[in-house]
Amino acid sequence: MNLEIIPTGAALAAEVRGLDLSQPVDDATFAVIEQAYDEYGVLFFRDQRITPEQHVAFTRRFGEIELNIFGERWSVPGCPEIVVVSNITEDGKPIGVRRAGENWHSDMCYTARPPRGTILYAIETPELHGLPLGDTEFASAAAAWDALPESMRRHIDGRHAVFDFTGRKRSFQPTREEIERNPPVRHPIVRTHPKTGRKCLYVMRDDCTGIEGIAAEDAEVLICALADHIVKPQFIYRHHWRPGDLLMWDNCTVQHRAIQDYNLPLRRKMYRTTMGGAVPV
Ligand code: SIN
């Protein structure tokens, strides 16, 4: 196989060509993929035809799989590791989580060990007369850190924010038990990528409800300014989905949002797996 890693030219993201993910990935090939993933933050593979089992097996190459709150409601039958993200309704019931991730975020930042990454596989994607809809945007929080003035870096490095599950309006109504299972946690607002050592901002509007050592009003101003900085156009890659795309992102250096510019009868159906993570440093 002739493996190629092709950078998109944006601040993050590369395409991987020459790999059929329905076949086992040998260790040498996996090492190239993992290194590119750590470096580019987003990797995508076009024209894949994989089963749920192959999707799960590929995710496992990156370590344990995280079973998340969506999976308890909307997973692929017989495959609790895969969450269905979709706007489709069957027999009057949604087949997956709708409007997932429509605001900028990093997955499950409200947990003590946020996931290393997420893998999304496109089954059906909306388009109108050839115009792709339902894109996902990705922002490099590492490039955003690199671009900060030194005085801001000194002001925020070493500080911790409170991340609160109840801070953000979610695409479903969490139960009391789910809220109790996810008490507020504290994370550094400047994280270091565990593999590359690259620094990045880890701040999201709504999820971050305060910064330790900074008065509430000032903290809110800072959180909003940093959250807006991360998503400036120069730090963004926008993915136009095609069925058969498998795309993975790093939840340390990358934030993302799903663009909700389509409605039924335009259908979008994605299968998502989540990698286990570690305590952010
Ligand atoms: C998500 O935030 O996981 C959803 C991303 C998408 O559907 O594009």
Side-chain angles (χ1 to χ4, degrees):
M1 237 170 231
N2 192 11
L3 191 70
E4 280 183 287
I5 310 286
I6 301 161
T8 57
L12 70 169
E15 179 176 355
V16 183
R17 289 198 193 147
L19 196 62
D20 175 356
L21 293 173
S22 69
Q23 302 301 313
V25 178
D26 64 58
D27 289 347
T29 304
F30 181 72
V32 175
I33 293 171
E34 194 173 34
Q35 197 182 354
Y37 173 56
D38 292 334
E39 181 178 345
Y40 291 103
V42 173
L43 284 188
F44 59 92
F45 308 70
R46 299 277 195 194
D47 303 318
Q48 299 297 316
R49 296 284 173 268
I50 55 169
T51 63
E53 291 72 25
Q54 289 161 345
H55 182 166
V56 170
F58 181 62
T59 310
R60 281 232 168 83
R61 295 299 301 268
F62 295 87
E64 65 184 89
I65 293 187
E66 175 84 36
L67 296 180
N68 70 29
I69 211 161
F70 291 135
E72 292 166 24
R73 293 172 168 79
W74 298 287
S75 55
V76 170
C79 228
E81 299 92 343
I82 299 186
V83 173
V84 182
V85 176
S86 184
N87 67 333
I88 301 169
T89 304
E90 278 170 9
D91 301 327
K93 290 199 197 108
I95 64 161
V97 54
R98 291 168 182 235
R99 303 188 78 88
E102 65 182 307
N103 297 311
W104 285 104
H105 65 287
S106 172
D107 290 333
M108 297 170 70
C109 60
Y110 52 82
T111 59
R113 297 166 65 87
R116 175 181 178 188
T118 306
I119 302 183
L120 204 55
Y121 176 51
I123 310 287
E124 291 184 63
T125 59
E127 63 149 58
L128 201 55
H129 306 294
L131 178 70
L133 300 171
D135 293 350
T136 308
E137 285 190 309
F138 299 91
S140 171
W145 162 261
D146 293 345
L148 281 179
E150 191 51 41
S151 51
M152 175 60 97
R153 289 190 190 187
R154 274 200 306 274
H155 183 56
I156 62 175
D157 203 3
R159 291 192 186 271
H160 287 74
V162 175
F163 290 70
D164 192 334
F165 178 64
T166 60
R168 179 181 290 272
K169 190 172 173 298
R170 307 214 162 260
S171 42
F172 63 98
Q173 184 58 46
T175 62
R176 175 177 291 277
E177 192 271 321
E178 284 164 340
I179 292 170
E180 283 169 6
R181 224 195 296 156
N182 291 287
V185 290
R186 65 192 284 279
H187 293 309
I189 59 174
V190 180
R191 282 184 68 173
T192 303
H193 191 277
K195 303 291 271 306
T196 64
R198 195 167 176 198
K199 281 189 167 188
C200 62
L201 289 169
Y202 197 63
V203 176
M204 305 95 202
R205 209 184 270 278
D206 302 334
D207 297 299
C208 294
T209 54
I211 299 180
E212 288 174 4
I214 299 185
E217 263 181 26
D218 296 339
E220 196 184 332
V221 170
L222 186 55
I223 288 166
C224 291
L226 293 173
D228 289 347
H229 172 70
I230 293 166
V231 301
K232 285 178 180 159
Q234 62 268 36
F235 308 133
I236 288 181
Y237 164 70
R238 181 170 177 144
H239 190 73
H240 304 307
W241 291 97
R242 293 189 218 147
D245 284 358
L246 183 137
L247 182 149
M248 49 198 288
W249 63 84
D250 182 314
N251 280 305
C252 173
T253 57
V254 178
Q255 293 191 17
H256 63 283
R257 69 166 172 176
I259 307 292
Q260 303 290 334
D261 57 358
Y262 60 93
N263 266 313
L264 289 173
L266 301 179
R267 293 159 59 104
R268 189 174 189 268
K269 182 176 173 187
M270 320 291 270
Y271 284 177
R272 191 175 85 181
T273 47
T274 311
M275 302 171 197
V279 174
V281 288

